[in-house]
Amino acid sequence: MLAGAFRLSSSSRLAFRGVTTTPVAALERSSPSLGGLVGVRHYNFASKPFRDCYGNLPVPDGAKLRADTVAYLNDFNPKLWYDDPVTTILNAQHLTSGQLEKTVDAFACENGNIRLATDQEIDRIITHMKTFKPEKDYREGVRAAEAELLSEFPHQLIGNQALDFLKQDGVTEIEESLQANTVERRLNDQLLQDEIAGKVDICRAPAFVGPVSNFSNFLDLCRKVLRNVELGVPVVVLSRENTTQHMYRWFQMLVRLFQKHGVDTGLLTYASASKEGKQKLFNANPDGALYITSSREVAKLIKSMHPNTVSSTGGPNTLVAPKMTKEIADAVKLSAMIENSGQCTALRHACIPDTTIKDLEDIFSDAPTVSTPQDALSAGAFAGVFEGSHQAPFELLDGYSTHPDNSSIAYRQSSTLPPNDISEQWRQTYVDLTSPKASEFGTDEMVGSLAKWLVRNQPITLAMNIGHDGDMGYARKLFEQTGQVVYTVGFEGSPALTCQARPQEGEVFGEFPIRSQLGAHTKYPVVVPSPTAGYNSHYNIEFLQNKGKDSSADGELGQLLSSVDSSAVRGFCLLLNEYLADAAGAHRGDGSKTGGPNRTILYGLQRPPMNGEDTVLRCSDSTSYDELVPSLVPFFVTNAWSNCRISVDPSNSALVEKLKAVESLQGKVDIEDAAAFAKRRETTSFYNVVAPEELADGTNTKSLEDFPLVGHFVSLYFPLGHIKSTRVDDEKFVEVFSASEKWLKMRV
C-alpha cells in the first residue's frame, strides 16, 4: 500500500458542465466509428481518421477544480513530503536501501526528502525491464483508473504541482488534459487496431519518462505514461533534481488505482535515481524510447546518451505588431510573464516598430506579483512574478537592464534582431525588443529578415497582430516563410499572445528543434495530439512487402519506384503517397463546444518555408537508390518539390545512373563530391541537408528493415501545426490563409 496518496471528500468529485453522464462515462466517450478507415493512416497527423478523432469532448467545471484545489492547499501538511520520501517503486514495492537526501522546489527551496536507489536496486529495475512480459491491451483497466484519478483527485494533482513547481494556474492544464486525453485515446485505439491487423508492430521495450516540471499532469502522467501502458508498453518514470515531489505523488496515486482496477503494476516503475543510475538504465534498455521535454541543450546531451530519445524543446517565442498600443503592451506583458516565465509558450522576443526602452519600462510598470500559489489560484491569476518568500532566483545577463520597480524583470531593445540562440532564462522574465522603423514594417525586406531569424531560431509560437486596417498581408508572408508549429493572428479588440494553443480543438501543438539540427535533439518531432506509443512503432515488414508486391503506381511516381529493388521499400513509398494525398491541405479545427475560447483554426501539413532555401538530399558514395527514394517521395509528390534538390557523390555511379533514368529528376540532381558540396554550403543557405541512408541518416531506424509510421517520417522534413485567428468564425482569415501555397498539396 502507498502512504499519503489520497485525501478525498464526497464533494471533491469533478463536475462536467453540459455532460449528463457520470464523470467516468464523460471521460470514456466511445471513439468515432472505426469502420471503413483507409489503409494504415488512421492515427497519422491530419489524415481523415485523425481529423475525425476531434469533437464530442467533456467540458469540466473549472470553478470547482479551482475551489477544491485552494481547499487542498490550505489543508496541506508539508511534513508529508518528508515523512513519505520520494522512493524507487518497482511493481508496487518500495525499495528503501538508499540514503535520504533533500528535495527542492522550482526555486531551489527545500521541500521534502528523496531516497536515491542503490546500485543493487538499479540492477533490480534492469532485471525487471528485461524479464517482464506485458500483454498488448490494458485499455479497460487503465482507463478506469484514469477516469477515477481525473474525476476524484484532480485537485491533488493541481495542488501538488502548485506547491512544487509554484504553478499559478494548473486548472487550465487539467481542463485541457481531460479533453486532449479523449482525442489521444481514440488515436491509441486506431494504432492498436492496426497492430491487431498485422500492419504495425508496437515496440514494448520499457519506455523512459523524464518528467517536465511545469506540465507534468498532462504531458507525463497522461500522454507518456497512461497512453503507453494502456497499449502494453511498460514505463520507467525518472526522478528529477528539482520539482520531483509532485510527479512522484501522481505516480503513487496511479499505482494504487492500478491495484484497485486490476491492472498489472509491473507496468509501472519509479526510478529515484542519480545521473549514473539513469545512464545505467538507458544502457540496459537501448530499444526503449525516452520521452523528455527540456531545453535544447539538455535534449542534445540526452540524445547523445540515449539515441532513442523523443524530445520536445523550447525556443524564443515571438510576438509581432505594427504599433505599440495598450492592448499590445498587455499582450507582451502577459505572454512574457505567464507562470513567472515558466511556460514553454512564454514570450522571449517582440518585434514592434518605433519602440524604445521606455516602452518596455512602461509595459512592466504594473507587472502583477504573486505571493503564494493559493493566492494565484484564488484570484485566477496566471502571469505574475513571485515575490517575498517565494521569489524566484534571478540572474542578470550582460546587456540587459532590470526594471526600476522589479529586479526580477529584465529586457533590452535594439533596432536589429537579437543574436541567434538567445538564452531562454527559464522562470525569469526576459524580453528582447526589436524596433524597426515604422516605414519598414511589413516590407519584403523586413519580413524576410525576421522570417530568416525565426527559421534559424525556431520558436514554438509566433503571434502576429494586425493593424486597424485589417490587412493580413505581412502575417501571411511570415507564415509562408517560416516553419513554426503555433501561429496566432490577432486583431484590435482580441490581440494575439504567444501563449495560446488548445490541441484538443485542432490547435495542434509541438516544440520542435531547429529543423537543420533536428536529428541531434530528437528521434522525431513530437506532435500533440498523437498516439505516444507510435513514436516507437514500425510497420510490419511482411505487410510492407505484400503492399509493394500487390500494389503499383503509375505516372511519375511509378517511374520513380520502378527501379526500387525492395518490395518493402516500395510498399512504404506507396503508403507515404497515400497518406500525403489524404492529409494534404488546410483543415478546419473547432473550438465551439469545448468551454474555452472559440477561435477560428486551420491546421495541417505544410511545405518547408517559401524563402528560397532548398532541402538537399545529400547522397554519399555508398547511398543506394532504395535508401534515397523514401526520403525523396514526400517532396517528389507534393508542392515541396520546387525547393528540393539531390546531391550525389560522383563515385556513386550506380545511383547516378538510376537517377538519370527518371525523367522527372532531370535538372534536380547535382553531381559533386564531399569537398565541392562543403564549399557550396559555405556560400549557400539551405533549409535542411538530409543524408537519407537508412531512412533519414539512421537516426530513426536501424536499417531498411524498420520503417517508421508515415506521419512521423514526414515530420522529419516538413513543418506542420496550426494557424488561428483570435476571432470567432473569421471567414476572412480563412479565405486569406487557406489559399496560401504554404499548405502541402499533391503535385502528382
Side-chain angles (χ1 to χ4, degrees), residues 611-626:
N611 60 1
E613 295 181 353
D614 290 335
T615 295
V616 177
L617 305 181
R618 172 60 188 170
C619 303
S620 70
D621 57 1
S622 61
T623 305
S624 71
Y625 190 77
D626 280 23

Side-chain angles (χ1 to χ4, degrees), residues 296 313-319 344-350 418-424 432 453-454 456-462 484 498 514:
R296 288 174 183 162
T313 64
N317 302 307
T318 295
L319 180 148
C344 60
T345 53
L347 178 146
R348 185 62 179 80
H349 171 230
N420 295 329
D421 303 318
I422 55 176
S423 174
E424 183 179 23
D432 271 76
W453 185 88
L454 292 166
R456 292 194 304 271
N457 291 277
Q458 190 62 35
I460 300 167
T461 75
L462 176 61
Q484 273 52 72
T498 61
I514 298 167

Side-chain angles (χ1 to χ4, degrees), residues 369-414:
T369 57
V370 178
S371 56
T372 66
Q374 291 98 311
D375 291 343
L377 280 161
S378 297
F382 68 91
V385 172
F386 277 96
E387 62 177 1
S389 61
H390 288 88
Q391 187 168 353
F394 193 87
E395 172 194 15
L396 182 61
L397 300 180
D398 290 343
Y400 290 85
S401 302
T402 55
H403 193 276
D405 299 328
N406 195 321
S407 59
S408 295
I409 299 173
Y411 40 69
R412 66 182 174 186
Q413 177 268 340
S414 174

Side-chain angles (χ1 to χ4, degrees), residues 118-136:
T118 64
D119 288 343
Q120 292 75 20
E121 289 170 339
I122 293 294
D123 288 339
R124 286 184 61 181
I125 296 174
I126 292 172
T127 298
H128 179 75
M129 289 194 302
K130 292 182 175 181
T131 58
F132 180 72
K133 303 299 181 185
E135 299 176 4
K136 292 186 176 182

Side-chain angles (χ1 to χ4, degrees), residues 23 34 55 151 168 257 331 341 371 422 588 607 644 684 696:
L34 300 181
S151 63
Q168 299 168 41
L257 287 169
S341 302
S371 56
I422 55 176
R588 290 290 293 265
R607 61 191 290 187
C644 177
T684 305

